[in-house]
Amino acid sequence: MPLMPGAEPMRHEGSDIGVLLCHGFTGSPQSLRPWARYLADQGLTVSLPLLPGHGSRWEDLQVTGWQDWYATVDRELRLLSESCARVFVCGLSMGGALALRLAARHGAAVSGIVVVNPASTFPRAAGYALPVLRHLVPTSSGLTDDIAKEGSHELGYDRVPLHAAHSLRSFFRVVRGELPQVTQPLMVLRSRSDHVVPATDSALILSRVSSTEVTETVLERSYHVATLDFDAERIFEDSHMFISRIAARETARDRA
């Protein structure tokens, strides 16, 4: 199935510091491409994969599940680890949950985590209905384009396939159970006004991880897709400083 123009994955070979970026549910690499390009321009090695079922049509997402999405980023992390001395994982929304699970499961292979408006729960009422509703109704309305900046657009589906949504709900449950295994330095950037993911999701993550080095930043001018919004440059710059600082510290420790 042909991809939407702009939904293509991205890979850039740079230094021995690698960054894996994970996009969100029903979205595509387009939402993170400016971030990926910024990090590539700083000389880092960058991987921005397209998750299975995304970037084409919603019917393709309907036949995938969280195991498929996670397997893709897990494979990309392993590939980066083969060529990079340090690897950082980043994500937006569901991509933040993917990044956190990678950190929980791969331990020291992940040097640090940066998540933007990370999702970790599913709306309670919708979650109760999904097991039955997904067999009766194929889709619900889409989740894209929660952006304050006029003229900025997120490329994604205008429908949410409910079988995939049900799998997403299961994935969040898995991730919540693994959060105590996250020990790496963590940067959380969340929007003050987010119409997709509540602030309590970030609070839950921060309360359960075992990381001792945590930075939380509130983005005052952006909505959910902050990587395409008014605070995008701050996200790019802050994440690069975070990655550079952690990488330099680990390098100095190894030399010592």
Side-chain angles (χ1 to χ4, degrees), residues 16-148:
D16 65 350
I17 301 174
V19 184
L20 170 59
L21 296 108
C22 310
H23 70 75
F25 182 64
T26 75
S28 77
Q30 178 262 354
S31 63
L32 299 183
R33 198 176 308 280
W35 191 5
R37 286 176 174 160
Y38 178 91
L39 295 174
D41 288 344
Q42 309 313 307
L44 306 183
T45 292
V46 177
S47 175
L48 173 55
L50 173 66
L51 301 179
H54 292 75
S56 53
R57 56 179 194 157
W58 70 259
E59 290 89 347
D60 298 323
L61 183 57
Q62 179 81 324
V63 294
T64 67
W66 74 260
Q67 295 90 344
D68 304 303
W69 315 325
Y70 180 76
T72 296
V73 296
D74 185 88
R75 180 174 62 251
E76 290 298 314
L77 174 62
R78 294 175 190 274
L79 289 173
L80 281 174
S81 298
E82 292 175 2
S83 59
C84 296
R86 319 282 175 211
V87 179
F88 294 80
V89 292
C90 307
L92 167 68
S93 194
M94 179 192 76
L98 290 169
L100 288 162
R101 186 166 203 252
L102 287 171
R105 294 182 65 85
H106 286 273
V110 173
S111 294
I113 315 148
V114 180
V115 291
V116 179
N117 293 322
S120 60
T121 65
F122 206 87
R124 183 169 298 180
Y128 288 147
L130 264 180
V132 174
L133 191 61
R134 65 193 176 107
H135 296 292
L136 305 174
V137 181
T139 68
S140 64
S141 57
L143 301 172
T144 60
D145 265 350
D146 188 36
I147 303 173

Side-chain angles (χ1 to χ4, degrees), residues 239 241 248:
S239 64
M241 287 191 294

